[in-house]
Amino acid sequence: MRKILQPRVLIGALVGLIALYALVGFILLPYLIKSYVVPTVSEQIKHPILLRDAAFNPFALSVRLTGLEVQEQNETPMLGFEELFVNVSAASLFLQKMAFDEIHLTMPFVAAKVNSDGKLNLMSLVPPEDEKAQPSPQPAGEPKKLMPVQIDLLDIGKGIIEYRDDSKPRPVVIDVVPFGIVLRNFSTVQVEGSENAHAFTAEIGKNGKISWEGNIFLEPLESDGQLNVSGIRLKVLYQAVQEQFQFDVNQGDLGLSASYHFDLRGQTPQVTVKNGKVSIDDLTIVERGGIDPVVTVPVFNVEGIQLDLHQQTIDVAKVHSADARFDVWMAPNGVVNYQTLFTPVGGKETTGPPSSTNAKPEKPAKPWTITVDEVGLKNYHASYEDRTLAKPAHVDIDAMNLTVKDVQIPFKKPLPVDLSLKLNETGSIGVKGTVTVEPVTADADLKLEHIEIRPFQPYLDQFLNADVRDGAIDLDGAVHFAKEHANAPMVQFQGNLGVGQLAVAEKNVLTDAVAWKALNINRIVLDVEPTAVKIAEIVWQEPSAQIVIGSDGTLNFSRLAVSSPPTDQAPAQKKPGGDQPQTKPAEPVPVTIDQVKLVKLAATFEDQSIDPKVKTGLTDFGGTIKGLSSKQLKKADVNLAGKVGRTAPFKIVGKINPLSEDAFTDVVITLAGMDLRPGGPYSGKYVGYGLSKGKLSLDLKYKVSQKILEAENLVHVDQLTFGEKTNSPDATSLPVPLVVGLLKDRKGQIEIDMPIRGNLNDPDFKYGKVVISTLLNLLTKVVASPFSLMGKLVPGGGEDEEGLQFIEFQPGSASLTDEDMKKLEALETALDERAGLRLDVKGTFDTTLDRTALQTRKLHEQLLEMSGKSRGATGDTLSSRDEQRLIEKLYAKLPSPDSTMTESTQPTIEEMKQRVAAAITISDAELEALARQRGEAVRDLLLESGRLTDQRVVLLDSGAAESGHEKVRTQLALAAGS
């Protein structure tokens, strides 16, 4: 025993033990690791494992493994590292904890792959369920605590993670190269006053970087730290979900930074985040397979994020984004491209298990409170194209700035909103006010400046066959909207609306059909639901219209509206079951317009369907309409005036009420001295004569009440003079010169009065047609009965038509009676009033009446001569005895009567007188001379006073008179001429 305790022996034994310890540590243990441990683990996981070298330093208590690879069956590396160095602290031998001075892991790598069947290669390293070791049962009672772990330095450097998913139609590849982790003074148990700071860094992709600094404790779990993420390519992250959408992320970097603290020591977890920031830079989204981006967001930042899990609050200082651009279009099928891009592909609604009807309702969870101090979008741009139209419409938004402040969720107070943008380069829109989300209300000042109408032409093409060449809309006012509006309108607007510099032209026509300088609707008060309109003033400045009848006879304005295609839809059939309940008619919208002001309206009328074309116009037309209202008893005052053909005054004065259900009109329209010469082509075509001169004046009175129209149309034409006859095939068959001569007085004026009355509810009543029909009937009547009009010209009523158109003479006489002389004086007066008329006098004779009268006269003269008395002497009458004697003498000279006559038929003196007279010969020349004498008698009497000239009374060739009358009628006829 003494020998054993001798120093030499002890030293030798100690040296031997040390040598044995060194031999086991330096040689045997590495050998066992390479020869037994590695093959055993490889067999268990059924994957080849390669280890290039293993070393153990028993004195430093460190192990070093080099070149470890876990391979797949095809010898492709799955995971491993270049070197692992672990230095165990000597304290682990004496204290109840695992302590490491340092752990270094160099170039660790993981090659994770998901095959086409959706299986992850790393899962093959996990043994099947039936081969897993059953965990030993834990004794009841307090859970066993883990052995404390302490690491003075953990350093993982140059790590590589490769991930590839071949189960997707488009393989997903994500590489994290390199990454590193540095932990200093790590301990699973918090030690007061100890320095426990750790760090982690990793690079993802080319510029992506993740870093973390802080401390962490496992028992109890608690951590404080600062996390920074920068340059993470969204394209890489998006690969995980790219098959669920129809867009690609071409560019974009994600950044994140925040300080945090979490603590699981209490009953509820404590998590707070301070000074958080999330940023997305240079985001670009394109259609799947596309090139041009549909979304571009250069900058999107969420700053000043504060989160408290226990309080369930999230506070954000600012959300800021700038210079973004969105390209939107609506496809021909009516679907917006963003709907297709951002709607998940093949998404199915999932329905949870049916809830039990007996289950107690859960207490609603406390809602999170989210506040955002300010949301700011700067210089946003958007382009919209509507491809549903025949010609796509383009709308561009530029320089859009949006600021929303004091956002709080749940929404409890109004949100201040300030929006401004440029529309289609020239226009601007500004909205500034407040919006309340629950319930939805909005109060804002709205301002639109110079919103051009032309970019919206494709929408107008659906309704107009015209081009809007110019024009812009301006609007300035305040709007209020309330979704819940029990005792108030849903929408209220107060402000001004204007449309300036409008120019509308028919397609493929150079001139504007409608244009104006400005249309301003001032001080509008508009309510919706219920609807009411109040307008202080409407000012229409310098409107102009080009009214053109084309060569085909169609009006240009009739072509401006797109005609609706004919529908084959059958009329709705009345459903069986009796009469349908009648719906109550909607209440009329209350409308009030204090004043409408018209300034310098100009209208040009051109008829190209006639050659030469007709052109005239209305200029300087303006005035006011005051007091328009939909109230039944309210009447508006109309006072409008202008000039036709630049010289003829045109006025409209009166009262109207067009907005009420029972429209009321009581106006006077006057036109003074409009030159008719510009309408000469119409005269040549439809009248048959050119037009040398003439002026038209109108005095029209219209009154409409309860749909009954009462119109007085007084037409005055001055100095109407026709030119040469045109022989137009379209000319009227009426004797136009005669009509004019009948109507035109000695001063050269024509007056036509046409009163018209009709019911506007009658579908057959068309005012224009009624006017034309009335005029034609009047002219036809004048032509058919000209002397009826002449009789009305005689003071005191004059003669009727039948009395003036002929003069009656006693048979055989050319002398005028007193009655005839009065008739001719009346006719002379009428002719004096109608300087354009000529009276044609035709002397006539009646062969029977005049011949008998002339024979009787000649017999009387012959008897006087036989008695020795001269004609014309005093006492030219014969006594009965002398007359009987002379007649018998003359009778005896007559040829013997028919032999069949007997003595009993001896004629009486009267019969003998008739036979003697009948034997007297009256030649036709004598009859014609009598007719001329009658005509001359009429003419001479008409010319006697000198009021009529020879040219006004023309003696026609004599002729036979109309038979069947007791007296001989000399015919009078009226004709045009002077």
Side-chain angles (χ1 to χ4, degrees), residues 452-520:
E452 290 191 348
I453 303 174
R454 184 164 179 77
F456 301 95
Q457 178 71 47
Y459 293 102
L460 300 176
D461 286 341
Q462 301 175 85
F463 314 100
L464 294 178
N465 187 31
D467 290 329
V468 179
R469 297 183 174 179
D470 200 358
I473 298 174
D474 294 279
L475 185 143
D476 184 8
V479 62
H480 168 76
F481 171 83
K483 185 177 181 180
E484 298 178 2
H485 54 100
N487 299 317
M490 180 180 70
V491 178
Q492 291 179 304
F493 173 79
Q494 296 183 10
N496 305 312
L497 172 65
V499 180
Q501 302 297 337
L502 181 70
V504 180
E506 189 178 358
K507 289 186 180 297
N508 303 320
V509 177
L510 297 178
T511 56
D512 297 332
V514 178
W516 64 67
K517 182 179 181 180
L519 173 61
N520 296 317

Side-chain angles (χ1 to χ4, degrees), residues 103-398:
I103 299 176
H104 291 279
L105 181 61
T106 305
M107 294 184 64
F109 68 89
V110 177
K113 294 183 180 180
V114 179
N115 62 20
S116 58
D117 296 331
K119 295 181 179 180
L120 180 64
N121 62 342
L122 297 180
M123 295 303 296
S124 63
L125 301 177
V126 180
E129 293 289 336
D130 54 353
E131 297 182 12
K132 288 185 179 180
Q134 297 296 326
S136 59
Q138 295 292 334
E142 187 175 333
K144 183 178 180 181
K145 292 185 177 181
L146 298 176
M147 178 178 290
V149 176
Q150 179 180 335
I151 304 175
D152 292 344
L153 175 62
L154 172 63
D155 185 5
I156 302 176
K158 300 181 181 179
I160 300 173
I161 298 177
E162 296 179 350
Y163 175 80
R164 181 181 179 89
D165 187 351
D166 290 326
S167 66
K168 308 292 184 182
R170 299 175 64 189
V172 177
V173 178
I174 299 177
D175 296 331
V176 182
V177 180
F179 71 89
I181 300 176
V182 177
L183 300 179
R184 298 181 184 277
N185 300 321
F186 173 79
S187 175
T188 60
V189 179
Q190 185 173 2
V191 179
E192 185 176 354
S194 64
E195 187 178 330
N196 196 356
H198 315 304
F200 166 81
T201 61
E203 292 184 8
I204 301 178
K206 184 177 181 181
N207 298 315
K209 183 177 182 181
I210 300 176
S211 63
W212 171 81
E213 292 182 358
N215 55 54
I216 184 170
F217 305 97
L218 300 181
E219 288 192 20
L221 186 59
E222 181 181 0
S223 177
D224 289 281
Q226 174 74 32
L227 177 65
N228 292 287
V229 179
S230 63
I232 303 300
R233 296 183 62 191
L234 292 174
K235 181 178 182 180
V236 175
L237 301 180
Y238 176 67
Q239 293 181 87
V241 295
Q242 65 181 354
E243 299 307 324
Q244 299 183 28
F245 300 96
Q246 294 294 322
F247 67 88
D248 289 330
V249 177
N250 275 7
Q251 296 182 32
D253 295 331
L254 172 66
L256 184 149
S257 65
S259 298
Y260 73 91
H261 169 77
F262 70 83
D263 186 353
L264 303 183
R265 288 179 295 180
Q267 294 181 349
T268 58
Q270 302 289 324
V271 179
T272 60
V273 175
K274 296 182 179 180
N275 301 322
K277 180 180 178 180
V278 178
S279 64
I280 296 177
D281 298 325
D282 300 324
L283 173 64
T284 301
I285 296 176
V286 301
E287 285 188 287
R288 180 64 45 83
I291 299 176
D292 298 327
V294 294
V295 176
T296 303
V297 183
V299 178
F300 186 88
N301 294 330
V302 182
E303 302 174 357
I305 302 174
Q306 314 289 333
L307 180 146
D308 191 323
L309 179 63
H310 178 68
Q311 299 294 332
Q312 290 186 277
T313 60
I314 299 176
D315 297 327
V316 178
K318 186 177 183 181
V319 177
H320 169 70
S321 180
D323 303 324
R325 180 175 181 83
F326 301 88
D327 288 279
V328 189
W329 62 82
M330 181 180 288
N333 61 358
V335 177
V336 178
N337 62 327
Y338 282 9
Q339 292 178 255
T340 304
L341 295 180
F342 299 112
T343 300
V345 177
K348 297 182 179 180
E349 296 184 359
T350 58
T351 57
S355 59
S356 173
T357 57
N358 298 325
K360 294 182 179 180
E362 295 183 0
K363 183 179 179 180
K366 178 184 176 182
W368 279 75
T369 300
I370 303 174
T371 61
V372 181
D373 295 342
E374 180 178 326
V375 177
L377 307 180
K378 304 296 182 184
N379 199 31
Y380 263 45
H381 307 268
S383 175
Y384 173 75
E385 182 177 73
D386 190 344
R387 300 176 182 175
T388 63
L389 306 172
K391 180 181 179 182
H394 299 270
V395 178
D396 292 321
I397 296 175
D398 297 297

Side-chain angles (χ1 to χ4, degrees), residues 538-801:
I538 298 177
V539 180
W540 201 7
Q541 296 184 25
E542 300 183 20
S544 63
Q546 296 281 346
I547 306 170
V548 179
I549 297 177
S551 57
D552 57 354
T554 59
L555 187 66
N556 62 335
F557 276 75
S558 67
R559 299 189 298 267
L560 294 182
V562 175
S563 58
S564 301
T567 58
D568 299 331
Q569 185 176 2
Q573 300 293 328
K574 185 176 180 180
K575 296 183 179 179
D579 296 336
Q580 300 296 322
Q582 295 183 352
T583 57
K584 183 179 179 181
E587 292 291 333
V589 175
V591 179
T592 301
I593 304 175
D594 294 342
Q595 176 173 279
V596 177
K597 187 176 182 180
L598 185 61
V599 181
K600 291 186 178 180
L601 178 145
T604 301
F605 173 79
E606 182 176 342
D607 190 346
Q608 300 174 351
S609 66
I610 194 168
D611 186 25
K613 64 183 179 181
V614 174
K615 189 171 184 179
T616 186
L618 174 66
T619 58
D620 295 330
F621 188 70
T624 59
I625 303 174
K626 296 181 179 180
L628 284 170
S629 174
S630 59
K631 294 181 180 180
Q632 193 66 37
L633 300 178
K634 188 72 173 177
K635 306 295 186 296
D637 295 321
V638 180
N639 189 354
L640 300 172
K643 294 181 180 180
V644 176
R646 299 187 180 276
T647 57
F650 177 64
K651 294 182 180 180
I652 302 176
V653 179
K655 293 182 178 294
I656 61 173
N657 187 10
L659 302 179
S660 66
E661 288 184 309
D662 181 18
F664 175 85
T665 302
D666 187 1
V667 297
V668 175
I669 302 174
T670 58
L671 173 65
M674 184 187 79
D675 192 355
L676 291 175
R677 287 178 298 174
Y682 287 129
S683 176
K685 182 174 183 179
Y686 299 110
V687 178
Y689 294 88
L691 191 60
S692 298
K693 64 179 179 177
K695 291 188 176 183
L696 174 67
S697 298
L698 300 174
D699 188 357
L700 313 177
K701 298 179 181 179
Y702 294 102
K703 185 173 182 179
V704 178
S705 180
Q706 297 181 350
K707 304 298 182 180
I708 301 299
L709 169 66
E710 296 179 1
E712 296 180 12
N713 302 282
L714 183 60
V715 181
H716 182 90
V717 182
D718 186 20
Q719 305 302 323
L720 180 63
T721 305
F722 288 111
E724 297 295 330
K725 191 172 183 178
T726 61
N727 296 320
S728 170
D730 299 319
T732 179
S733 59
L734 293 173
V736 176
L738 174 60
V739 173
V740 174
L742 288 167
L743 298 177
K744 186 164 64 173
D745 63 14
R746 61 181 176 180
K747 296 180 181 179
Q749 298 180 350
I750 298 174
E751 283 192 358
I752 301 175
D753 189 4
M754 294 185 298
I756 294 175
R757 179 182 174 89
N759 189 344
L760 298 180
N761 287 327
D762 185 355
D764 295 330
F765 180 80
K766 306 296 182 184
Y767 183 73
K769 292 183 178 179
V770 171
V771 170
I772 294 175
S773 176
T774 302
L775 180 60
L776 290 177
N777 290 339
L778 175 63
L779 297 180
T780 303
K781 185 177 179 180
V782 167
V783 172
S785 306
F787 284 98
S788 177
L789 176 63
M790 299 297 288
K792 295 177 182 179
L793 300 177
V794 178
E799 299 288 339
D800 58 12
E801 176 186 0

Side-chain angles (χ1 to χ4, degrees), residues 712 832 921:
E712 296 180 12
D832 189 39
T921 303

